[in-house]
Amino acid sequence: IEQEAYYHSLFYMILVLMGVEIDLEVLTDKGRIDGVLELENQIYLIEFKYAKAGSQMDRLTDKAIKQIKNKNYGERFLNDSRPRVVLGVGFAGKKIGYKKVL
């Protein structure tokens, strides 16, 4: 988890330096969404996963997406008409990967 927090912070810092506002650790009744990025036309629900180098990136990103869906993180935005995009971000050692689901 320590490693995941490091990459989570790095991701956040890059977005902030680019002028993008993102909310982190957004509380829901079923857990915390790692990141919520609200744009004019979409809402991104982001979950980060970390594993040691050599881990399969697909497993990490699938696990992140599964968590967002199983914990129904999108429920928080039911009254918002913007489409929600589920984004699983995986860090395996120094590699990064992502999977997006509309």
Side-chain angles (χ1 to χ4, degrees), residues 15-75:
L15 288 175
V16 168
L17 289 172
M18 291 172 45
V20 176
E21 289 185 37
I22 184 171
D23 293 322
L24 300 178
E25 300 296 328
V26 177
L27 190 60
T28 74
D29 62 334
K30 294 182 179 96
R32 294 177 192 253
I33 310 168
D34 284 344
V36 175
L37 180 58
E38 293 189 53
L39 302 177
E40 189 175 322
N41 298 322
Q42 292 178 322
I43 298 173
Y44 284 83
L45 305 174
I46 306 167
E47 183 66 31
F48 300 97
K49 294 294 176 195
Y50 175 83
K52 294 181 180 180
S55 298
Q56 285 189 329
M57 192 61 69
D58 281 347
R59 285 188 183 171
L60 284 178
T61 55
D62 287 345
K63 184 177 178 182
I65 288 170
K66 186 176 181 181
Q67 180 176 330
I68 293 169
K69 290 182 176 186
N70 287 346
K71 293 194 175 190
N72 201 15
Y73 288 159
E75 182 178 54

